[in-house]
């Protein structure tokens, strides 16, 4: 009996994946959608989706955070700081006045809006900052651009570049 149930569940999952389907989660306002392009779980308050390439998008009423398989973003509950860790990935985040800590290697990070202190630690990073009170860079061969303002800059490393410009929105 157990194998018949497992087989039925597997066939149902395959049918959902091939044809695309949405199912409400009982007792909540959330819905799960599955199709060849990916999987998403969401409600009117926000959505988490994973596309067929493994890229993750987290959206809510305040904006979106997009990560690929090499990136991760956490918000410190105590301080509100944004902590970004990535290896050869890309991450886009809205600062909303918060301090940001980037620890990464070979990644691209875009920080839109006004940030507090931005700390970049790693190597071969490209970081675009909308605006910041200060930018601290440690490591080697990092490039940091700031779109607006004149932040206090600390560069402790080898072949790092910090300059005005970049792709972030101020």
């Amino acid at each position: 009996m157990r194998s018949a149930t497992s087989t039925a569940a597997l066939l149902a999952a395959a049918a959902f994946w091939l044809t695309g389907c949405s199912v409400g989660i009982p007792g909540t306002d959330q819905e799960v959608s599955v199709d060849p392009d990916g999987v998403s779980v969401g409600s009117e308050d926000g959505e988490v989706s994973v596309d067929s390439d493994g890229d993750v998008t987290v959206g809510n009423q305040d904006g979106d955070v997009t990560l690929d398989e090499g990136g991760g973003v956490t918000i410190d509950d105590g301080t509100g700081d944004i902590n970004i860790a990535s290896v050869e990935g890309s991450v886009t985040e809205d600062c909303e006045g918060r301090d940001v800590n980037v620890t990464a290697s070979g990644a691209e990070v875009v920080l839109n809006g006004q940030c507090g202190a931005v700390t970049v630690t790693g190597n071969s990073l490209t970081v675009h900052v909308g605006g910041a009170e200060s930018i601290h860079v440690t490591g080697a061969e990092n490039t940091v651009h700031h779109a607006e303002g004149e932040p206090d800059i600390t560069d402790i490393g080898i072949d790092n570049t910090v300059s005005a410009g970049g792709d972030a929105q101020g």
Side-chain angles (χ1 to χ4, degrees):
M1 186 67 143
R2 178 177 275 192
S3 66
T5 303
S6 298
T7 301
L10 183 60
L11 289 173
F16 285 164
W17 180 77
L18 290 173
T19 62
C21 182
S22 294
V23 177
I25 300 173
T28 72
D29 67 343
Q30 296 180 341
E31 182 175 273
V32 176
S33 299
V34 180
D35 62 42
D37 295 327
V39 177
S40 66
V41 177
S43 70
E44 65 183 42
D45 295 328
E47 178 179 81
V48 176
S49 55
V50 180
D51 70 18
S52 59
D53 294 327
D55 294 340
V56 178
T57 300
V58 180
N60 60 34
Q61 295 172 343
D62 298 327
D64 288 336
V65 176
T66 302
L67 316 172
D68 71 8
E69 63 240 7
V73 177
T74 60
I75 307 295
D76 185 295
D77 290 335
T79 63
D81 292 357
I82 301 170
N83 299 302
I84 298 172
S86 184
V87 176
E88 297 181 357
S90 62
V91 177
T92 300
E93 180 65 53
D94 292 326
C95 283
E96 300 175 350
R98 297 175 285 191
D99 292 345
V100 180
N101 302 301
V102 177
T103 305
S105 175
E108 181 171 18
V109 176
V110 178
L111 302 170
N112 290 315
Q114 183 63 35
C115 304
V118 175
T119 303
V120 176
T121 305
N123 61 350
S124 302
L125 300 170
T126 301
V127 180
H128 304 272
V129 180
E133 294 173 9
S134 61
I135 298 174
H136 310 282
V137 183
T138 305
E141 299 177 5
N142 297 306
T143 301
V144 181
H145 302 287
H146 53 91
E148 295 181 354
E150 295 182 20
D152 293 329
I153 297 171
T154 306
D155 177 5
I156 303 172
I158 301 169
D159 295 329
N160 294 319
T161 303
V162 180
S163 62
D167 296 335
Q169 299 172 1

